Amino acid sequence: MRKSILMVALLLGATPNLISQTIQMELAAPQPFLQGTDTGDMEFADLDGDGDMDLIATGSGNMSDGSTHGALTTLYFNDGAGNFTAVNDHGIENIRVSKIALANIDTDEDLDLLISGFTSGGFALTKLYTNDGSGNFTEVTGSPFESLENGYFNFGDIDGDNDQDIVFSGGHSGIEDVVKYINDGNGNFSLDTTMGVTGISGVLDLSDYDNDEDLDLIICGQDSSGNIVTRLYNNDGNGDFTLFADAGLNGVEFGDIAAADTDGDEDLDLVICGSSAAGDFVTEFYRNNGDSTFTQLTDVPFLGLGANGETSFNDFDNDGDVDVFVIGSANGGLPNIYSHIYENLGDNSFVLSDEFVGGYLSTHAVADVDGDSLLDVVIGGTTTGTPVRGSFLYKNVSAVLSASDFDLNSALRIYPNPSNGRFNIELASIPNGQLSIYNIAGQRIYDQSLIGGINSLEMYLANGVYLAVINTQTQQITRKLVIKN
């Protein structure tokens, strides 16, 4: 291949507070008439089997018109275009300070519902409901679940028998052991207290952290001595768990856990947000080492958010890797409340890409609500929006690659990326092109003709994110350049 050597000296200041605009959310107009979800929960799911994403919401706060309400549960059915119809006559308890989870517990190919929380009268409850496939829910009477006042739970097949079991953390008071409820395959659950996770309560996640094809457990909260801890328990495949003492995870409480493969190495990395043992709000990122240990990466730009905030991994820009969403309060509380989306640039490099109404005592859910193949977001809690304790739907309006862009994308390589300013642009099966480089303030800082083959560039750039725009006679593509000196 032909090779061209290009050199340019660009002495630029860093721009750490600017936002890359690759991922963009806009407040949906008109807004659906949503309930408040302060101290509540929200989940998107296809509740009625029509192939689009409906919404279930719990909590208290303000309706979209500002009117206040106590404990409330609402089903919102989607018409497929992102227009929602609220249903309150559904037979599900109205709750706040709540948690909900959906899973197919009885192999009938619809999603059933488990809820826990407080009624408006202050009564704590945990209830299971089965779905008839059309979004009509019926309470399962005589279920064995303890009423959780300060608890958390997740569905997962923890014993490898291909049905959805439940892991519970919390109870009526104090620190209680984590317990499991084993599903018989027909949606009937039996309590098993021999799980092996004792003296700890908090937020939990079930994922395969050691790649042995069973679900392990990470829990963030307090132990029976009052210490703030984060612990990893490995599953033996039968639903019995053993503490892995040296996982390398810092203690966090009143937060959330998200797991995904962020760097393409086929193991699950972590984002954990919440309150640290020192009392600070943190958002911490951990790379999975593949052996049940994690390494914290401290050079990520995540703002520390807590006060019962949440986090999740989602591919907001359809580029094949997962981005990070975090909602919560920064240190100092109001008005330092945020929702942040951090775009994944590859190799565990992230950049703040969008910021909108935030909340604490918050919840969120992510799904493509309008069928445009882009993931949208609904958030709620005590927010910086109007009404203050409302919920808000944001539509994803990010620019994504077209089919012709993907043709050029497959013929273009930029490597290494991130780099120290020395990198290659390779044009395969493209005779030539024109390169323009922009900083994230949108200022064009360099132009250069490219030839087919490998073009080697050396640029003296400040650390940060830049955009490389390559034009051919028929197409244009934009790539991110990450400089780490």
Side-chain angles (χ1 to χ4, degrees):
M1 291 184 178
R2 288 182 293 168
K3 189 170 183 179
S4 168
I5 305 295
L6 310 173
M7 180 175 290
V8 59
L10 300 173
L11 301 176
L12 300 174
T15 54
N17 296 319
L18 298 177
I19 297 176
S20 165
Q21 295 297 319
T22 307
I23 300 171
Q24 291 181 273
M25 297 286 171
E26 287 186 358
L27 192 65
Q31 279 284 294
F33 193 69
L34 297 174
Q35 72 160 75
T37 50
D38 195 48
T39 69
D41 202 1
M42 289 189 285
E43 295 288 344
F44 280 118
D46 184 7
L47 301 176
D48 53 6
D50 63 353
D52 54 40
M53 290 291 104
D54 310 303
L55 178 67
I56 180 169
T58 64
S60 58
N62 300 111
M63 303 296 293
S64 293
D65 63 359
S67 59
T68 60
H69 64 83
L72 186 63
T73 299
T74 307
L75 304 181
Y76 295 90
F77 290 102
N78 190 348
D79 67 357
N83 304 304
F84 292 89
T85 299
V87 174
N88 290 105
D89 184 19
H90 43 57
I92 303 170
E93 287 278 359
N94 293 318
I95 55 173
R96 59 182 294 273
V97 194
S98 48
K99 164 69 178 168
I100 59 179
L102 294 154
N104 179 15
I105 63 170
D106 46 14
T107 67
D108 60 357
E109 299 185 0
D110 56 39
L111 294 175
D112 309 298
L113 173 66
L114 183 65
I115 69 169
S116 180
F118 285 88
T119 66
S120 287
F123 177 72
L125 57 84
T126 300
K127 290 189 175 183
L128 180 67
Y129 299 84
T130 56
N131 187 349
D132 68 356
S134 298
N136 302 305
F137 290 86
T138 302
E139 182 182 349
V140 177
T141 58
S143 63
F145 308 122
E146 181 181 5
S147 297
L148 296 182
E149 294 185 4
N150 296 289
Y152 200 89
F153 51 80
N154 266 340
F155 283 106
D157 180 14
I158 62 172
D159 54 3
D161 62 353
N162 297 314
D163 56 35
Q164 294 296 305
D165 311 302
I166 307 170
V167 175
F168 270 72
S169 166
H172 286 298
S173 61
I175 304 300
E176 301 190 16
D177 295 344
V178 177
V179 299
K180 58 187 176 184
Y181 291 88
I182 301 301
N183 190 344
D184 68 357
N186 297 309
N188 304 305
F189 293 87
S190 57
L191 173 63
D192 186 337
T193 59
T194 62
M195 185 170 171
V197 183
T198 59
I200 185 172
S201 293
V203 173
L204 61 90
D205 180 75
L206 292 169
S207 297
D208 183 8
Y209 290 108
D210 52 7
N211 281 345
D212 63 351
E213 300 184 357
D214 56 36
L215 295 178
D216 309 303
L217 170 69
I218 288 180
I219 183 166
C220 298
Q222 286 194 23
D223 66 13
S224 54
S225 299
N227 300 310
I228 297 174
V229 296
T230 299
R231 292 180 180 167
L232 168 65
Y233 295 82
N234 287 329
N235 188 347
D236 67 357
N238 298 311
D240 297 316
F241 292 79
T242 302
L243 175 65
F244 189 89
D246 299 312
L249 303 172
N250 297 325
V252 171
E253 65 175 346
F254 304 130
D256 199 15
I257 309 165
D261 181 7
T262 64
D263 48 13
D265 62 354
E266 299 184 355
D267 53 34
L268 296 179
D269 309 298
L270 287 174
V271 168
I272 300 176
C273 68
S275 300
S276 71
D280 296 321
F281 295 143
V282 297
T283 303
E284 298 180 339
F285 177 66
Y286 294 89
R287 184 187 65 227
N288 191 333
N289 299 320
D291 58 358
S292 295
T293 67
F294 294 82
T295 298
Q296 183 181 2
L297 302 185
T298 58
D299 59 348
V300 292
F302 305 153
L303 181 65
L305 297 177
N308 294 103
E310 289 190 345
T311 186
S312 63
F313 286 110
N314 311 275
D315 185 3
F316 287 111
D317 51 3
N318 288 352
D319 64 351
D321 55 33
V322 288
D323 312 298
V324 174
F325 177 85
V326 190
I327 181 173
S329 172
N331 290 330
L334 283 167
N336 304 310
I337 298 172
Y338 304 95
S339 290
H340 280 176
I341 293 176
Y342 296 91
E343 183 180 354
N344 188 343
L345 306 178
D347 194 33
N348 287 328
S349 296
F350 295 86
V351 62
L352 178 61
S353 191
D354 204 3
E355 176 183 313
F356 45 95
V357 166
Y360 66 93
L361 303 176
S362 53
T363 184
H364 80 289
V366 177
D368 175 14
V369 302
D370 50 8
D372 64 354
S373 299
L374 292 171
L375 294 176
D376 310 298
V377 182
V378 63
I379 67 103
T382 299
T383 75
T384 51
T386 303
V388 170
R389 297 174 67 220
S391 301
F392 305 90
L393 177 65
Y394 285 82
K395 294 288 189 71
N396 191 336
V397 295
S398 305
V400 297
L401 297 179
S402 67
S404 60
D405 289 329
F406 277 112
D407 292 339
L408 179 56
N409 186 52
S410 64
L412 171 68
R413 292 180 63 211
I414 300 180
Y415 61 92
N417 192 19
S419 76
N420 61 2
R422 300 182 65 179
F423 55 90
N424 302 307
I425 298 179
E426 182 178 350
L427 302 180
S429 70
I430 301 172
N432 52 62
Q434 181 70 29
L435 167 69
S436 297
I437 294 180
Y438 296 81
N439 62 27
I440 58 174
Q443 300 166 325
R444 188 169 63 189
I445 57 176
Y446 182 67
D447 289 294
Q448 174 67 45
S449 296
L450 302 176
I451 62 172
I454 298 174
N455 301 262
S456 294
L457 287 79
E458 184 172 357
M459 298 185 177
Y460 298 103
L461 299 171
N463 289 343
V465 178
Y466 301 85
L467 300 179
V469 179
I470 295 99
N471 286 282
T472 70
Q473 291 182 347
T474 60
Q475 297 172 320
Q476 180 186 87
I477 192 169
T478 300
R479 289 286 192 88
K480 295 177 289 291
L481 298 176
V482 182
I483 303 300
K484 287 186 174 182
N485 292 303

